[in-house]
Amino acid sequence: MTTQPLSPPVPAAALPASEATRTLAALVRGIAARPQLWRPAVRFGAAERWWTRLDAPAGVDVWLLTWLRSQGTDLHDHGGSAAAFTVVAGTLTESRATRDGALHAVPLTPAGGARTVEPDVVHDVRNDHDEPAVSIHAYAPRLQRMSFYAVTGTGLTRVRTVRTDEPEVDA
Ligand SMILES: [Fe+2]
């Protein structure tokens, strides 16, 4: 008997964006284009990443996040919320995990527009550069929980779920 090799998983980044994530992407791009809405709120945390809420439409969370070098998240999902984010300063690297545990890293800069994050995406985000980075993230429905993942010998494994309404928290 012969077996057919499985097709490689399609990276989530290659999938078309849903209407929900497209709407969130337009929202974060619109906020990014109006620095008066976010620039006065920018702070950096040397000990840990820093974030604050921005004004948002009903049913949506919008957060401003700042990232010094080496600050980043663990592999996580958004608990069923759609999301989008855009970088307004510096460079962030987003890594998306496939179910077999492969990671696909893509840098994002202010010239890169917004990245959509479908509810089933598992990713991490970090600043690998000396220049501080600033990003704007939107989630809908409003963030309620996140699950964290590890890459093991059998692929991507969920290790913890936390209730949270704060963005991109650590495990
Ligand atoms: Fe995330």
Side-chain angles (χ1 to χ4, degrees), residues 13 17 21 24-25 28-29 83-87 92-96 104-109 112-118 123-125 136-138:
T21 55
L24 295 175
V28 295
R29 283 198 307 269
F85 69 99
T86 192
V87 173
L92 292 177
T93 300
E94 183 199 26
S95 295
R96 295 195 176 195
H104 300 266
V106 179
L108 186 64
T109 69
R115 188 150 302 162
T116 54
V117 186
E118 300 299 335
H123 75 163
D124 66 31
V125 180
I136 297 167
H137 300 236

CSV table of all heavy atoms in Angstrom, one decimal, residues 13 17 21 24-25 28-29 83-87 92-96 104-109 112-118 123-125 136-138:
chain,number,residue,atom,x,y,z
A,13,ALA,N,-1.3,33.4,7.0
A,13,ALA,CA,-1.1,34.6,6.3
A,13,ALA,C,-1.5,34.6,4.8
A,13,ALA,O,-1.8,35.6,4.2
A,13,ALA,CB,0.3,35.1,6.4
A,17,ALA,N,-8.5,37.5,3.9
A,17,ALA,CA,-9.0,38.1,5.1
A,17,ALA,C,-10.6,38.0,5.1
A,17,ALA,O,-11.2,38.2,4.1
A,17,ALA,CB,-8.5,39.5,5.2
A,21,THR,N,-12.0,40.9,9.8
A,21,THR,CA,-10.6,41.4,9.9
A,21,THR,C,-10.3,42.5,8.9
A,21,THR,O,-9.5,43.4,9.3
A,21,THR,CB,-9.6,40.2,9.7
A,21,THR,OG1,-9.9,39.6,8.5
A,21,THR,CG2,-9.7,39.2,10.8
A,24,LEU,N,-11.5,45.6,10.7
A,24,LEU,CA,-10.5,45.9,11.8
A,24,LEU,C,-9.2,46.5,11.2
A,24,LEU,O,-8.7,47.5,11.7
A,24,LEU,CB,-10.2,44.7,12.7
A,24,LEU,CG,-11.4,44.2,13.5
A,24,LEU,CD1,-11.0,42.9,14.2
A,24,LEU,CD2,-11.9,45.2,14.5
A,25,ALA,N,-8.8,46.0,10.1
A,25,ALA,CA,-7.6,46.5,9.4
A,25,ALA,C,-7.8,47.9,9.0
A,25,ALA,O,-7.0,48.8,9.1
A,25,ALA,CB,-7.3,45.6,8.2
A,28,VAL,N,-7.6,50.2,12.2
A,28,VAL,CA,-6.3,50.5,12.7
A,28,VAL,C,-5.5,51.4,11.7
A,28,VAL,O,-4.7,52.2,12.1
A,28,VAL,CB,-5.5,49.2,13.1
A,28,VAL,CG1,-6.2,48.5,14.2
A,28,VAL,CG2,-5.3,48.3,11.9
A,29,ARG,N,-5.7,51.2,10.4
A,29,ARG,CA,-5.1,52.1,9.4
A,29,ARG,C,-5.6,53.5,9.6
A,29,ARG,O,-4.8,54.4,9.5
A,29,ARG,CB,-5.3,51.6,8.0
A,29,ARG,CG,-4.5,50.4,7.6
A,29,ARG,CD,-4.4,50.2,6.1
A,29,ARG,NE,-5.7,50.2,5.5
A,29,ARG,CZ,-6.4,49.1,5.2
A,29,ARG,NH1,-5.9,47.9,5.5
A,29,ARG,NH2,-7.6,49.1,4.7
A,83,ALA,N,-8.8,39.9,14.7
A,83,ALA,CA,-7.9,41.0,15.0
A,83,ALA,C,-7.2,41.6,13.8
A,83,ALA,O,-7.2,40.9,12.7
A,83,ALA,CB,-6.9,40.5,16.1
A,84,ALA,N,-6.7,42.7,14.0
A,84,ALA,CA,-5.8,43.3,13.0
A,84,ALA,C,-4.8,44.3,13.7
A,84,ALA,O,-5.2,44.8,14.8
A,84,ALA,CB,-6.6,44.1,11.9
A,85,PHE,N,-3.7,44.4,13.1
A,85,PHE,CA,-2.7,45.4,13.7
A,85,PHE,C,-1.9,46.0,12.7
A,85,PHE,O,-1.7,45.5,11.6
A,85,PHE,CB,-1.9,44.7,14.8
A,85,PHE,CG,-0.9,43.7,14.4
A,85,PHE,CD1,0.5,44.1,14.2
A,85,PHE,CD2,-1.2,42.4,14.1
A,85,PHE,CE1,1.4,43.2,13.8
A,85,PHE,CE2,-0.3,41.5,13.6
A,85,PHE,CZ,1.0,41.9,13.5
A,86,THR,N,-1.4,47.2,13.0
A,86,THR,CA,-0.5,47.9,12.1
A,86,THR,C,0.6,48.5,13.0
A,86,THR,O,0.5,48.8,14.2
A,86,THR,CB,-1.3,49.0,11.4
A,86,THR,OG1,-0.5,49.5,10.3
A,86,THR,CG2,-1.7,50.2,12.3
A,87,VAL,N,1.8,48.7,12.3
A,87,VAL,CA,3.0,49.3,13.0
A,87,VAL,C,3.1,50.7,12.6
A,87,VAL,O,3.0,51.1,11.4
A,87,VAL,CB,4.2,48.5,12.6
A,87,VAL,CG1,5.5,49.1,13.2
A,87,VAL,CG2,4.1,47.0,13.1
A,92,LEU,N,8.3,45.4,13.7
A,92,LEU,CA,7.9,44.2,14.5
A,92,LEU,C,8.0,43.0,13.6
A,92,LEU,O,7.8,43.1,12.4
A,92,LEU,CB,6.4,44.3,15.0
A,92,LEU,CG,6.2,45.4,16.1
A,92,LEU,CD1,4.7,45.4,16.5
A,92,LEU,CD2,7.1,45.1,17.3
A,93,THR,N,8.3,41.8,14.2
A,93,THR,CA,8.3,40.6,13.4
A,93,THR,C,7.2,39.7,14.0
A,93,THR,O,7.1,39.4,15.2
A,93,THR,CB,9.6,39.9,13.6
A,93,THR,OG1,10.7,40.7,13.1
A,93,THR,CG2,9.6,38.5,12.8
A,94,GLU,N,6.3,39.4,13.1
A,94,GLU,CA,5.2,38.5,13.5
A,94,GLU,C,5.5,37.1,13.0
A,94,GLU,O,5.9,36.9,11.8
A,94,GLU,CB,3.8,38.9,12.8
A,94,GLU,CG,2.7,38.0,13.3
A,94,GLU,CD,1.5,38.1,12.4
A,94,GLU,OE1,1.6,38.4,11.2
A,94,GLU,OE2,0.4,37.8,12.9
A,95,SER,N,5.4,36.1,13.8
A,95,SER,CA,5.6,34.7,13.4
A,95,SER,C,4.3,33.9,13.6
A,95,SER,O,3.7,34.0,14.7
A,95,SER,CB,6.7,34.0,14.3
A,95,SER,OG,7.9,34.6,14.1
A,96,ARG,N,3.8,33.3,12.5
A,96,ARG,CA,2.6,32.5,12.6
A,96,ARG,C,3.0,31.0,12.5
A,96,ARG,O,3.8,30.6,11.8
A,96,ARG,CB,1.7,32.9,11.4
A,96,ARG,CG,1.3,34.3,11.5
A,96,ARG,CD,0.1,34.6,10.5
A,96,ARG,NE,-0.3,36.0,10.8
A,96,ARG,CZ,-1.5,36.5,10.4
A,96,ARG,NH1,-2.3,35.7,9.7
A,96,ARG,NH2,-1.8,37.7,10.6
A,104,HIS,N,6.4,30.8,10.5
A,104,HIS,CA,6.6,31.7,9.3
A,104,HIS,C,6.7,33.1,9.9
A,104,HIS,O,5.7,33.7,10.3
A,104,HIS,CB,5.5,31.5,8.3
A,104,HIS,CG,5.4,30.1,7.8
A,104,HIS,ND1,6.0,29.7,6.7
A,104,HIS,CD2,4.7,29.0,8.3
A,104,HIS,CE1,5.7,28.4,6.5
A,104,HIS,NE2,4.9,28.0,7.5
A,105,ALA,N,7.9,33.7,9.8
A,105,ALA,CA,8.1,35.0,10.4
A,105,ALA,C,8.1,36.0,9.2
A,105,ALA,O,8.7,35.8,8.2
A,105,ALA,CB,9.5,35.0,11.1
A,106,VAL,N,7.4,37.1,9.5
A,106,VAL,CA,7.3,38.2,8.5
A,106,VAL,C,7.4,39.5,9.3
A,106,VAL,O,6.7,39.8,10.2
A,106,VAL,CB,5.9,38.2,7.8
A,106,VAL,CG1,5.8,39.3,6.8
A,106,VAL,CG2,5.7,36.8,7.1
A,107,PRO,N,8.4,40.4,8.8
A,107,PRO,CA,8.5,41.7,9.5
A,107,PRO,C,7.4,42.6,9.0
A,107,PRO,O,6.9,42.5,7.9
A,107,PRO,CB,9.9,42.2,9.0
A,107,PRO,CG,10.1,41.5,7.7
A,107,PRO,CD,9.4,40.1,7.8
A,108,LEU,N,7.1,43.6,9.9
A,108,LEU,CA,6.1,44.6,9.5
A,108,LEU,C,6.6,45.9,10.0
A,108,LEU,O,7.0,46.1,11.1
A,108,LEU,CB,4.7,44.2,10.2
A,108,LEU,CG,3.5,45.1,9.8
A,108,LEU,CD1,3.2,45.0,8.4
A,108,LEU,CD2,2.3,44.8,10.7
A,109,THR,N,6.5,46.9,9.0
A,109,THR,CA,6.9,48.3,9.3
A,109,THR,C,5.8,49.2,9.0
A,109,THR,O,4.7,48.8,8.5
A,109,THR,CB,8.1,48.7,8.4
A,109,THR,OG1,7.6,48.8,7.0
A,109,THR,CG2,9.2,47.6,8.4
A,112,GLY,N,4.0,48.9,5.9
A,112,GLY,CA,3.4,47.6,5.5
A,112,GLY,C,1.9,47.4,5.6
A,112,GLY,O,1.4,46.3,5.5
A,113,GLY,N,1.2,48.6,5.9
A,113,GLY,CA,-0.2,48.5,6.0
A,113,GLY,C,-0.6,47.7,7.3
A,113,GLY,O,0.1,47.7,8.3
A,114,ALA,N,-1.8,47.1,7.3
A,114,ALA,CA,-2.3,46.4,8.4
A,114,ALA,C,-2.2,44.9,8.2
A,114,ALA,O,-2.4,44.5,7.0
A,114,ALA,CB,-3.7,46.8,8.8
A,115,ARG,N,-2.0,44.1,9.2
A,115,ARG,CA,-2.0,42.7,9.1
A,115,ARG,C,-3.3,42.2,9.7
A,115,ARG,O,-3.6,42.6,10.9
A,115,ARG,CB,-0.8,42.1,9.8
A,115,ARG,CG,-0.7,40.6,9.5
A,115,ARG,CD,0.8,40.2,9.5
A,115,ARG,NE,1.6,40.9,8.6
A,115,ARG,CZ,2.9,40.9,8.6
A,115,ARG,NH1,3.5,40.3,9.6
A,115,ARG,NH2,3.6,41.6,7.7
A,116,THR,N,-4.0,41.3,9.0
A,116,THR,CA,-5.2,40.7,9.6
A,116,THR,C,-4.9,39.4,10.3
A,116,THR,O,-4.0,38.7,9.9
A,116,THR,CB,-6.2,40.5,8.5
A,116,THR,OG1,-5.6,39.7,7.4
A,116,THR,CG2,-6.7,41.8,7.8
A,117,VAL,N,-5.6,39.2,11.4
A,117,VAL,CA,-5.4,38.0,12.2
A,117,VAL,C,-6.7,37.3,12.4
A,117,VAL,O,-7.5,37.7,13.2
A,117,VAL,CB,-4.7,38.4,13.6
A,117,VAL,CG1,-4.3,37.1,14.3
A,117,VAL,CG2,-3.5,39.2,13.4
A,118,GLU,N,-6.9,36.2,11.7
A,118,GLU,CA,-8.2,35.5,11.8
A,118,GLU,C,-8.3,34.8,13.1
A,118,GLU,O,-7.3,34.6,13.8
A,118,GLU,CB,-8.3,34.5,10.6
A,118,GLU,CG,-8.3,35.1,9.2
A,118,GLU,CD,-9.4,36.1,9.0
A,118,GLU,OE1,-10.4,36.0,9.6
A,118,GLU,OE2,-9.2,37.0,8.1
A,123,HIS,N,0.0,33.0,16.7
A,123,HIS,CA,1.2,33.8,16.3
A,123,HIS,C,1.9,34.4,17.5
A,123,HIS,O,1.4,34.3,18.7
A,123,HIS,CB,0.7,35.0,15.4
A,123,HIS,CG,0.0,36.1,16.1
A,123,HIS,ND1,-0.2,37.3,15.5
A,123,HIS,CD2,-0.6,36.2,17.3
A,123,HIS,CE1,-0.8,38.1,16.3
A,123,HIS,NE2,-1.1,37.5,17.4
A,124,ASP,N,3.1,34.9,17.3
A,124,ASP,CA,3.7,35.8,18.3
A,124,ASP,C,4.2,37.0,17.6
A,124,ASP,O,4.3,37.0,16.3
A,124,ASP,CB,4.8,35.1,19.1
A,124,ASP,CG,6.0,34.6,18.3
A,124,ASP,OD1,6.4,35.3,17.3
A,124,ASP,OD2,6.6,33.6,18.7
A,125,VAL,N,4.5,38.0,18.3
A,125,VAL,CA,4.9,39.3,17.8
A,125,VAL,C,6.1,39.8,18.7
A,125,VAL,O,6.0,39.7,19.9
A,125,VAL,CB,3.8,40.4,17.8
A,125,VAL,CG1,4.3,41.7,17.3
A,125,VAL,CG2,2.6,39.8,17.0
A,136,ILE,N,-0.7,49.5,16.7
A,136,ILE,CA,-2.1,49.7,17.1
A,136,ILE,C,-2.8,48.4,16.7
A,136,ILE,O,-2.7,47.9,15.6
A,136,ILE,CB,-2.7,50.9,16.3
A,136,ILE,CG1,-1.9,52.1,16.7
A,136,ILE,CG2,-4.2,51.0,16.6
A,136,ILE,CD1,-2.2,53.3,15.9
A,137,HIS,N,-3.6,47.8,17.7
A,137,HIS,CA,-4.2,46.5,17.5
A,137,HIS,C,-5.7,46.7,17.8
A,137,HIS,O,-6.1,47.4,18.7
A,137,HIS,CB,-3.7,45.5,18.5
A,137,HIS,CG,-2.2,45.3,18.4
A,137,HIS,ND1,-1.6,44.0,18.2
A,137,HIS,CD2,-1.1,46.1,18.4
A,137,HIS,CE1,-0.3,44.1,18.1
A,137,HIS,NE2,0.0,45.4,18.2
A,138,ALA,N,-6.5,46.0,17.0
A,138,ALA,CA,-8.0,46.0,17.2
A,138,ALA,C,-8.5,44.6,17.3
A,138,ALA,O,-8.0,43.7,16.5
A,138,ALA,CB,-8.7,46.8,16.1
